[in-house]
Amino acid sequence: MTSGWDEHDDVDLTNWSHPFAFDIPLLEKVLRTVVVYAAIVILLRVMGKRNLAQVNTFDLVVIFLLSNVVQNAIIGPDNSLSGGIFGAIVLIVVNNLVVRLAARHDRLARWLDGVPTELVHDGVFDDKTVQGLGLREADVMASLRHQGVSDLNDVHTATLDPNGAITVSLEPSSQPATKADIDDILRKLEQLQNRT
């Protein structure tokens, strides 16, 4: 019975420090991570809000492959455990700094996130805008239906927000009654009853 271990296998059990030794200088790792982060932010910004709003199969494949494509650009020739952990820490710190800066500076937030884009106005699609974003009217209608819209004529505005969500504002005549509306009607009915 064999153990599966061959005495001729080249295994160096004496060098356990290698998984924790940095193979490239720390400053280079920081620079690589920041440059790749910035490049991906710019690429996603150029791709637009559509990718956040409607991720289809092709977009998902691109997202998965993107992480693999940039991996070597971030880690370089460094395959050490500590190098990978350090790169992850740098990535999280840089992202945290960018998010905090965007929260404090509206201009930066608008540049990173974009601005809301009106897709529907008074029950009519803005075809040029919808097509320019790479959306299909059927996808927008599906999103509107999820928000309770059954007829496009009921929509005053439908706006694609910077985060990719679609916000709907209904025409006043199509808005559901609120508790305040019902209370107002009951008050008026009571006044009418008191007059008779």
Side-chain angles (χ1 to χ4, degrees), residues 48-128:
K49 293 178 273 191
R50 179 203 163 270
N51 290 304
L52 295 173
Q54 302 290 334
V55 177
N56 61 32
T57 305
F58 303 111
D59 296 329
L60 208 53
V61 169
V62 169
I63 290 168
F64 283 139
L65 291 176
L66 185 62
S67 64
N68 195 37
V69 167
V70 299
Q71 175 186 350
N72 289 340
I74 290 176
I75 65 170
D78 187 353
N79 290 323
S80 68
L81 181 62
S82 53
I85 291 171
F86 183 74
I89 290 169
V90 170
L91 191 58
I92 290 169
V93 168
V94 168
N95 186 62
N96 196 1
L97 288 173
V98 169
V99 168
R100 289 176 185 268
L101 280 172
R104 290 185 184 161
H105 303 285
D106 289 338
R107 183 177 287 175
L108 178 62
R110 278 193 307 275
W111 185 84
L112 288 172
D113 295 333
V115 294
T117 307
E118 194 171 80
L119 304 174
V120 178
H121 187 79
D122 290 333
V124 178
F125 276 106
D126 182 339
D127 293 328
K128 186 176 179 182

Coordinates of all heavy atoms in Angstrom, one line a residue, residues 48-128:
G48 N -21.2 53.4 -18.6 CA -22.5 54.0 -18.3 C -23.3 53.3 -17.3 O -23.0 52.2 -16.8
K49 N -24.5 53.9 -17.0 CA -25.4 53.4 -16.0 C -26.1 52.1 -16.4 O -26.6 51.4 -15.5 CB -26.5 54.5 -15.6 CG -25.9 55.7 -15.0 CD -27.0 56.7 -14.7 CE -27.1 57.5 -16.0 NZ -27.9 58.7 -15.8
R50 N -26.2 51.9 -17.7 CA -27.0 50.7 -18.1 C -26.5 49.4 -17.5 O -27.2 48.6 -17.2 CB -26.8 50.6 -19.7 CG -27.5 49.4 -20.2 CD -26.9 49.0 -21.6 NE -27.3 47.7 -21.9 CZ -26.7 46.6 -21.5 NH1 -25.5 46.7 -20.9 NH2 -27.1 45.4 -21.9
N51 N -25.1 49.3 -17.3 CA -24.6 48.1 -16.8 C -25.0 47.9 -15.3 O -25.0 46.8 -14.9 CB -23.1 48.1 -16.9 CG -22.7 48.0 -18.3 OD1 -23.0 47.1 -19.0 ND2 -22.0 49.0 -18.8
L52 N -25.3 48.9 -14.6 CA -25.8 48.8 -13.3 C -27.3 48.4 -13.3 O -27.8 47.7 -12.5 CB -25.6 50.0 -12.5 CG -24.1 50.4 -12.2 CD1 -24.0 51.7 -11.5 CD2 -23.5 49.3 -11.4
A53 N -28.0 49.0 -14.2 CA -29.5 48.9 -14.3 C -29.9 47.5 -14.8 O -30.8 46.9 -14.3 CB -30.1 50.0 -15.2
Q54 N -29.3 47.1 -15.9 CA -29.7 45.8 -16.5 C -28.4 45.0 -16.8 O -27.8 45.2 -17.8 CB -30.4 46.2 -17.8 CG -31.6 47.0 -17.7 CD -32.8 46.3 -17.0 OE1 -32.9 45.1 -17.0 NE2 -33.6 47.0 -16.3
V55 N -28.1 44.1 -15.9 CA -26.9 43.3 -16.2 C -27.4 42.0 -16.9 O -28.2 41.3 -16.3 CB -26.2 42.9 -14.9 CG1 -25.1 42.0 -15.1 CG2 -25.7 44.2 -14.2
N56 N -27.0 41.9 -18.1 CA -27.4 40.7 -18.9 C -26.3 39.7 -18.8 O -25.2 39.9 -18.2 CB -27.8 41.0 -20.3 CG -26.7 41.6 -21.1 OD1 -25.5 41.3 -20.9 ND2 -27.0 42.5 -22.0
T57 N -26.4 38.5 -19.5 CA -25.5 37.5 -19.4 C -24.1 37.9 -19.9 O -23.1 37.6 -19.3 CB -26.0 36.3 -20.3 OG1 -27.2 35.9 -19.8 CG2 -25.0 35.1 -20.2
F58 N -24.1 38.7 -21.0 CA -22.8 39.1 -21.6 C -22.1 40.1 -20.6 O -20.9 40.0 -20.5 CB -23.1 39.8 -22.9 CG -23.8 39.0 -23.9 CD1 -25.1 39.2 -24.3 CD2 -23.2 37.8 -24.4 CE1 -25.7 38.4 -25.2 CE2 -23.8 37.0 -25.3 CZ -25.1 37.3 -25.7
D59 N -22.8 41.0 -19.9 CA -22.2 41.9 -19.0 C -21.6 41.1 -17.8 O -20.6 41.4 -17.3 CB -23.2 42.9 -18.4 CG -23.8 43.8 -19.5 OD1 -23.0 44.1 -20.5 OD2 -24.9 44.2 -19.4
L60 N -22.3 40.0 -17.4 CA -21.8 39.2 -16.3 C -20.6 38.5 -16.6 O -19.6 38.5 -15.8 CB -22.9 38.2 -15.9 CG -23.0 37.7 -14.5 CD1 -23.0 38.8 -13.5 CD2 -24.2 36.8 -14.3
V61 N -20.5 38.0 -17.9 CA -19.2 37.4 -18.3 C -18.1 38.4 -18.3 O -17.0 38.1 -17.9 CB -19.4 36.8 -19.8 CG1 -18.1 36.4 -20.4 CG2 -20.4 35.6 -19.7
V62 N -18.3 39.6 -18.8 CA -17.3 40.6 -18.8 C -16.8 40.9 -17.4 O -15.6 41.1 -17.1 CB -17.8 41.9 -19.5 CG1 -16.9 43.1 -19.3 CG2 -18.0 41.6 -21.0
I63 N -17.8 41.1 -16.5 CA -17.4 41.4 -15.1 C -16.5 40.3 -14.5 O -15.5 40.5 -13.9 CB -18.7 41.6 -14.2 CG1 -19.3 42.9 -14.7 CG2 -18.3 41.6 -12.7 CD1 -20.7 43.1 -14.1
F64 N -16.9 39.0 -14.7 CA -16.1 37.9 -14.2 C -14.7 37.9 -14.8 O -13.7 37.7 -14.2 CB -16.8 36.6 -14.5 CG -17.9 36.3 -13.5 CD1 -19.1 35.7 -14.0 CD2 -17.8 36.6 -12.2 CE1 -20.1 35.4 -13.1 CE2 -18.9 36.3 -11.3 CZ -20.0 35.7 -11.8
L65 N -14.6 38.1 -16.1 CA -13.4 38.1 -16.8 C -12.5 39.3 -16.5 O -11.3 39.2 -16.4 CB -13.6 38.0 -18.3 CG -14.1 36.7 -18.9 CD1 -14.4 36.7 -20.4 CD2 -13.2 35.5 -18.5
L66 N -13.1 40.4 -16.2 CA -12.4 41.6 -15.9 C -11.5 41.4 -14.6 O -10.4 41.8 -14.6 CB -13.4 42.8 -15.7 CG -12.8 44.1 -15.4 CD1 -12.0 44.6 -16.6 CD2 -13.9 45.1 -15.2
S67 N -12.1 40.7 -13.6 CA -11.4 40.5 -12.4 C -10.1 39.6 -12.7 O -9.1 39.8 -12.1 CB -12.2 39.9 -11.3 OG -12.7 38.6 -11.7
N68 N -10.3 38.7 -13.6 CA -9.2 37.8 -13.9 C -8.1 38.5 -14.7 O -6.9 38.3 -14.5 CB -9.7 36.6 -14.6 CG -8.6 35.5 -14.7 OD1 -7.9 35.3 -13.7 ND2 -8.6 34.8 -15.8
V69 N -8.6 39.4 -15.6 CA -7.7 40.1 -16.5 C -6.8 41.1 -15.7 O -5.6 41.2 -16.0 CB -8.5 40.9 -17.6 CG1 -7.6 41.9 -18.3 CG2 -9.1 39.9 -18.6
V70 N -7.3 41.7 -14.8 CA -6.5 42.8 -14.0 C -5.8 42.2 -12.8 O -5.0 42.9 -12.2 CB -7.4 43.9 -13.6 CG1 -8.1 44.6 -14.7 CG2 -8.4 43.5 -12.5
Q71 N -6.0 40.9 -12.5 CA -5.3 40.3 -11.4 C -3.8 40.4 -11.5 O -3.2 40.9 -10.5 CB -5.7 38.8 -11.3 CG -5.0 38.1 -10.1 CD -5.3 36.6 -10.1 OE1 -6.2 36.2 -10.8 NE2 -4.5 35.9 -9.4
N72 N -3.3 40.0 -12.6 CA -1.8 40.1 -12.7 C -1.3 41.5 -12.7 O -0.2 41.8 -12.3 CB -1.3 39.4 -14.0 CG -1.5 37.9 -13.8 OD1 -1.6 37.4 -12.7 ND2 -1.6 37.2 -14.9
A73 N -2.1 42.5 -13.2 CA -1.7 43.9 -13.2 C -1.5 44.4 -11.8 O -0.7 45.2 -11.5 CB -2.6 44.7 -14.0
I74 N -2.4 43.9 -10.9 CA -2.3 44.3 -9.5 C -1.2 43.6 -8.7 O -0.4 44.2 -8.1 CB -3.7 44.0 -8.8 CG1 -4.7 45.0 -9.3 CG2 -3.6 44.2 -7.3 CD1 -6.1 44.8 -8.8
I75 N -1.1 42.2 -8.9 CA -0.2 41.5 -8.1 C 1.2 41.4 -8.7 O 2.2 41.2 -8.0 CB -0.7 40.1 -7.7 CG1 -0.8 39.2 -9.0 CG2 -1.9 40.1 -6.9 CD1 -1.1 37.8 -8.7
G76 N 1.3 41.6 -10.0 CA 2.6 41.5 -10.7 C 3.1 40.1 -10.5 O 2.4 39.1 -10.5
P77 N 4.4 40.0 -10.3 CA 5.0 38.7 -10.2 C 4.9 38.2 -8.7 O 5.5 37.1 -8.4 CB 6.5 38.9 -10.5 CG 6.8 40.3 -10.2 CD 5.5 41.0 -10.5
D78 N 4.2 38.9 -7.9 CA 4.1 38.5 -6.5 C 3.0 37.6 -6.2 O 1.8 37.9 -6.4 CB 3.9 39.8 -5.6 CG 3.9 39.6 -4.1 OD1 4.0 38.4 -3.7 OD2 3.9 40.5 -3.4
N79 N 3.3 36.3 -5.9 CA 2.3 35.3 -5.6 C 2.2 35.0 -4.1 O 1.7 34.0 -3.7 CB 2.6 34.0 -6.4 CG 2.3 34.2 -7.9 OD1 1.4 34.9 -8.2 ND2 3.1 33.6 -8.7
S80 N 2.8 35.8 -3.3 CA 2.9 35.6 -1.9 C 1.5 35.8 -1.2 O 0.7 36.6 -1.7 CB 4.0 36.4 -1.2 OG 3.6 37.8 -1.2
L81 N 1.3 35.1 -0.1 CA 0.1 35.3 0.7 C 0.0 36.7 1.2 O -1.0 37.4 1.1 CB 0.1 34.3 1.8 CG -1.1 34.3 2.7 CD1 -2.4 34.0 1.9 CD2 -0.9 33.3 3.8
S82 N 1.1 37.2 1.8 CA 1.1 38.6 2.3 C 0.9 39.6 1.2 O 0.3 40.6 1.4 CB 2.4 38.8 3.1 OG 3.5 38.5 2.3
G83 N 1.5 39.4 0.0 CA 1.3 40.3 -1.1 C -0.2 40.4 -1.5 O -0.7 41.5 -1.8
G84 N -0.9 39.2 -1.6 CA -2.3 39.3 -1.9 C -3.1 40.0 -0.8 O -4.0 40.8 -1.2
I85 N -2.8 39.7 0.4 CA -3.6 40.4 1.5 C -3.3 41.9 1.5 O -4.2 42.7 1.6 CB -3.2 39.7 2.9 CG1 -3.7 38.3 2.9 CG2 -3.7 40.6 4.0 CD1 -3.2 37.5 4.1
F86 N -2.0 42.2 1.3 CA -1.7 43.7 1.2 C -2.4 44.4 0.1 O -2.9 45.5 0.2 CB -0.2 43.8 1.1 CG 0.3 45.3 1.1 CD1 0.3 46.0 2.3 CD2 0.7 45.9 -0.1 CE1 0.6 47.4 2.3 CE2 1.1 47.2 -0.1 CZ 1.0 48.0 1.1
G87 N -2.4 43.7 -1.1 CA -3.1 44.3 -2.3 C -4.6 44.5 -2.0 O -5.2 45.5 -2.3
A88 N -5.2 43.5 -1.3 CA -6.7 43.6 -0.9 C -6.9 44.8 0.0 O -7.8 45.5 -0.1 CB -7.1 42.3 -0.3
I89 N -5.9 44.9 1.0 CA -6.1 46.0 1.9 C -6.0 47.4 1.2 O -6.8 48.3 1.4 CB -5.0 45.9 3.0 CG1 -5.3 44.7 4.0 CG2 -4.9 47.2 3.9 CD1 -4.2 44.4 4.9
V90 N -5.0 47.5 0.3 CA -4.8 48.7 -0.5 C -6.1 49.0 -1.3 O -6.6 50.2 -1.3 CB -3.6 48.7 -1.4 CG1 -3.5 49.8 -2.3 CG2 -2.3 48.6 -0.5
L91 N -6.6 48.0 -1.9 CA -7.8 48.2 -2.7 C -9.0 48.7 -1.9 O -9.7 49.6 -2.2 CB -8.2 46.9 -3.4 CG -9.3 46.9 -4.5 CD1 -8.9 47.8 -5.6 CD2 -9.5 45.4 -5.0
I92 N -9.2 48.1 -0.7 CA -10.3 48.5 0.2 C -10.1 49.9 0.7 O -11.0 50.7 0.8 CB -10.5 47.5 1.3 CG1 -11.0 46.2 0.8 CG2 -11.4 48.0 2.4 CD1 -11.0 45.0 1.7
V93 N -8.9 50.3 1.1 CA -8.6 51.6 1.6 C -8.8 52.6 0.5 O -9.4 53.7 0.7 CB -7.1 51.7 2.1 CG1 -6.7 53.1 2.4 CG2 -7.0 50.9 3.4
V94 N -8.3 52.4 -0.7 CA -8.5 53.3 -1.8 C -10.0 53.5 -2.1 O -10.4 54.7 -2.3 CB -7.7 52.8 -3.1 CG1 -8.1 53.6 -4.3 CG2 -6.2 52.9 -2.9
N95 N -10.7 52.4 -2.2 CA -12.1 52.5 -2.4 C -12.8 53.3 -1.3 O -13.7 54.2 -1.6 CB -12.8 51.1 -2.5 CG -14.2 51.2 -2.9 OD1 -14.6 51.7 -4.0 ND2 -15.1 50.8 -2.0
N96 N -12.5 53.1 -0.1 CA -13.1 53.8 1.1 C -12.8 55.3 0.9 O -13.6 56.2 1.2 CB -12.5 53.3 2.4 CG -13.3 53.7 3.6 OD1 -14.3 54.4 3.4 ND2 -12.9 53.3 4.7
L97 N -11.5 55.7 0.6 CA -11.2 57.1 0.4 C -12.0 57.7 -0.7 O -12.4 58.9 -0.6 CB -9.7 57.2 0.1 CG -8.7 56.9 1.3 CD1 -7.3 56.9 0.8 CD2 -8.9 58.0 2.4
V98 N -12.1 57.0 -1.8 CA -12.9 57.6 -3.0 C -14.3 57.8 -2.6 O -14.9 58.8 -2.9 CB -12.7 56.7 -4.2 CG1 -13.7 57.1 -5.3 CG2 -11.3 56.7 -4.7
V99 N -14.9 56.8 -1.9 CA -16.3 57.0 -1.5 C -16.5 58.1 -0.5 O -17.4 58.9 -0.7 CB -16.8 55.6 -0.8 CG1 -18.1 55.8 -0.1 CG2 -16.9 54.5 -1.9
R100 N -15.6 58.3 0.4 CA -15.7 59.4 1.3 C -15.5 60.8 0.6 O -16.1 61.7 0.9 CB -14.6 59.3 2.5 CG -15.0 58.1 3.4 CD -13.9 57.9 4.5 NE -14.2 56.8 5.3 CZ -14.9 56.9 6.4 NH1 -15.3 58.0 6.9 NH2 -15.1 55.8 7.2
L101 N -14.5 60.8 -0.3 CA -14.3 62.1 -1.1 C -15.5 62.4 -1.9 O -16.0 63.6 -2.0 CB -13.1 61.9 -2.0 CG -11.7 62.1 -1.3 CD1 -10.6 61.8 -2.3 CD2 -11.6 63.5 -0.8
A102 N -16.1 61.4 -2.5 CA -17.3 61.6 -3.3 C -18.5 62.1 -2.5 O -19.3 62.9 -2.9 CB -17.7 60.4 -4.1
A103 N -18.6 61.6 -1.2 CA -19.6 62.1 -0.3 C -19.5 63.5 0.1 O -20.5 64.2 0.4 CB -19.7 61.2 0.9
R104 N -18.3 64.0 0.1 CA -18.0 65.4 0.5 C -18.0 66.4 -0.7 O -18.2 67.6 -0.5 CB -16.6 65.5 1.2 CG -16.6 64.9 2.5 CD -15.3 65.1 3.2 NE -15.3 64.4 4.5 CZ -14.3 64.1 5.2 NH1 -13.1 64.4 4.7 NH2 -14.3 63.4 6.3
H105 N -17.7 65.9 -1.9 CA -17.6 66.8 -3.0 C -18.6 66.4 -4.1 O -18.4 65.4 -4.8 CB -16.2 66.7 -3.6 CG -15.1 67.1 -2.6 ND1 -14.9 68.4 -2.2 CD2 -14.3 66.3 -1.9 CE1 -14.0 68.4 -1.3 NE2 -13.6 67.2 -1.0
D106 N -19.6 67.2 -4.3 CA -20.7 66.9 -5.2 C -20.2 66.8 -6.7 O -20.7 65.9 -7.4 CB -21.8 68.0 -5.2 CG -22.6 68.0 -3.9 OD1 -22.6 66.9 -3.3 OD2 -23.2 69.0 -3.6
R107 N -19.2 67.6 -7.1 CA -18.7 67.5 -8.4 C -18.1 66.2 -8.7 O -18.3 65.5 -9.7 CB -17.7 68.6 -8.7 CG -17.2 68.7 -10.1 CD -16.3 69.8 -10.4 NE -17.1 71.0 -10.4 CZ -16.6 72.2 -10.6 NH1 -15.3 72.4 -10.6 NH2 -17.4 73.3 -10.6
L108 N -17.3 65.7 -7.7 CA -16.6 64.4 -7.9 C -17.7 63.3 -7.9 O -17.6 62.3 -8.7 CB -15.6 64.1 -6.7 CG -14.9 62.8 -6.7 CD1 -14.1 62.6 -8.0 CD2 -14.1 62.6 -5.5
A109 N -18.7 63.4 -7.0 CA -19.8 62.4 -7.0 C -20.5 62.3 -8.3 O -20.8 61.2 -8.8 CB -20.7 62.7 -5.9
R110 N -20.8 63.5 -8.9 CA -21.5 63.5 -10.2 C -20.6 62.9 -11.3 O -21.1 62.2 -12.2 CB -21.8 65.0 -10.6 CG -23.1 65.5 -9.9 CD -23.6 66.8 -10.6 NE -22.6 67.8 -10.6 CZ -22.4 68.7 -9.6 NH1 -23.1 68.5 -8.5 NH2 -21.5 69.6 -9.7
W111 N -19.3 63.2 -11.2 CA -18.4 62.6 -12.2 C -18.3 61.1 -12.1 O -18.3 60.4 -13.1 CB -17.0 63.2 -12.1 CG -16.1 62.7 -13.3 CD1 -16.1 63.2 -14.5 CD2 -15.3 61.6 -13.2 NE1 -15.2 62.5 -15.3 CE2 -14.7 61.5 -14.5 CE3 -14.9 60.7 -12.3 CZ2 -13.8 60.5 -14.8 CZ3 -14.0 59.7 -12.6 CH2 -13.5 59.6 -13.9
L112 N -18.2 60.6 -10.9 CA -18.1 59.2 -10.7 C -19.4 58.5 -10.9 O -19.4 57.4 -11.6 CB -17.6 58.9 -9.2 CG -16.2 59.2 -8.9 CD1 -15.9 59.1 -7.4 CD2 -15.2 58.3 -9.7
D113 N -20.5 59.0 -10.4 CA -21.8 58.3 -10.5 C -22.6 58.7 -11.7 O -23.4 58.0 -12.2 CB -22.6 58.6 -9.2 CG -22.0 58.0 -8.0 OD1 -21.2 57.0 -8.1 OD2 -22.2 58.6 -6.9
G114 N -22.4 59.9 -12.2 CA -23.3 60.5 -13.2 C -24.5 61.2 -12.6 O -24.5 61.4 -11.4
V115 N -25.4 61.6 -13.4 CA -26.6 62.3 -13.0 C -27.8 61.5 -13.4 O -27.7 60.7 -14.4 CB -26.6 63.7 -13.6 CG1 -25.5 64.6 -13.0 CG2 -26.6 63.7 -15.1
P116 N -29.0 61.7 -12.8 CA -30.2 61.0 -13.2 C -30.5 61.4 -14.7 O -30.3 62.5 -15.2 CB -31.3 61.6 -12.3 CG -30.5 62.1 -11.1 CD -29.2 62.6 -11.6
T117 N -31.0 60.4 -15.4 CA -31.4 60.5 -16.8 C -32.9 60.2 -17.0 O -33.3 59.1 -16.6 CB -30.5 59.6 -17.7 OG1 -29.2 59.8 -17.4 CG2 -30.8 59.9 -19.1
E118 N -33.6 61.1 -17.6 CA -35.0 60.9 -17.8 C -35.3 60.0 -19.0 O -34.8 60.3 -20.1 CB -35.8 62.2 -18.0 CG -37.3 62.1 -17.8 CD -37.9 63.5 -17.8 OE1 -38.1 64.1 -18.9 OE2 -38.3 64.0 -16.7
L119 N -36.0 58.9 -18.7 CA -36.3 57.9 -19.8 C -37.7 58.1 -20.4 O -37.9 57.8 -21.5 CB -36.1 56.5 -19.2 CG -34.8 56.1 -18.6 CD1 -34.9 54.7 -18.0 CD2 -33.7 56.2 -19.6
V120 N -38.6 58.5 -19.5 CA -40.0 58.7 -19.9 C -40.5 60.0 -19.4 O -40.2 60.4 -18.2 CB -40.9 57.5 -19.3 CG1 -42.4 57.7 -19.7 CG2 -40.4 56.2 -19.7
H121 N -41.2 60.7 -20.2 CA -41.8 62.0 -19.8 C -43.3 62.0 -20.3 O -43.5 61.9 -21.5 CB -41.0 63.2 -20.3 CG -41.5 64.5 -19.8 ND1 -41.2 64.9 -18.5 CD2 -42.3 65.4 -20.3 CE1 -41.8 66.1 -18.3 NE2 -42.5 66.4 -19.3
D122 N -44.2 62.3 -19.4 CA -45.6 62.3 -19.8 C -46.1 61.1 -20.6 O -46.8 61.3 -21.6 CB -46.0 63.6 -20.5 CG -45.9 64.8 -19.5 OD1 -46.1 64.6 -18.3 OD2 -45.6 65.9 -20.0
G123 N -45.7 59.9 -20.2 CA -46.1 58.7 -20.8 C -45.5 58.4 -22.2 O -45.9 57.5 -22.9
V124 N -44.4 59.1 -22.5 CA -43.7 58.8 -23.8 C -42.2 58.6 -23.5 O -41.6 59.3 -22.8 CB -43.9 60.1 -24.7 CG1 -43.1 59.8 -26.0 CG2 -45.3 60.4 -24.9
F125 N -41.7 57.5 -24.2 CA -40.3 57.2 -24.1 C -39.5 58.2 -24.8 O -39.9 58.7 -25.8 CB -40.0 55.8 -24.7 CG -40.2 54.6 -23.8 CD1 -41.3 53.8 -24.0 CD2 -39.4 54.3 -22.8 CE1 -41.6 52.7 -23.2 CE2 -39.6 53.2 -22.0 CZ -40.7 52.4 -22.2
D126 N -38.3 58.6 -24.2 CA -37.3 59.4 -24.9 C -36.5 58.4 -25.6 O -35.5 57.9 -25.1 CB -36.5 60.2 -23.9 CG -35.5 61.1 -24.5 OD1 -35.1 60.8 -25.7 OD2 -35.1 62.1 -23.9
D127 N -36.8 58.0 -26.8 CA -36.2 56.9 -27.6 C -34.7 57.2 -27.7 O -33.9 56.2 -27.6 CB -36.8 56.8 -29.0 CG -38.3 56.3 -28.9 OD1 -38.6 55.5 -28.0 OD2 -39.1 56.7 -29.8
K128 N -34.3 58.4 -28.0 CA -32.9 58.7 -28.2 C -32.1 58.4 -26.9 O -31.0 57.8 -27.0 CB -32.7 60.1 -28.6 CG -31.3 60.5 -29.0 CD -31.3 62.0 -29.5 CE -29.9 62.4 -29.9 NZ -29.8 63.8 -30.3

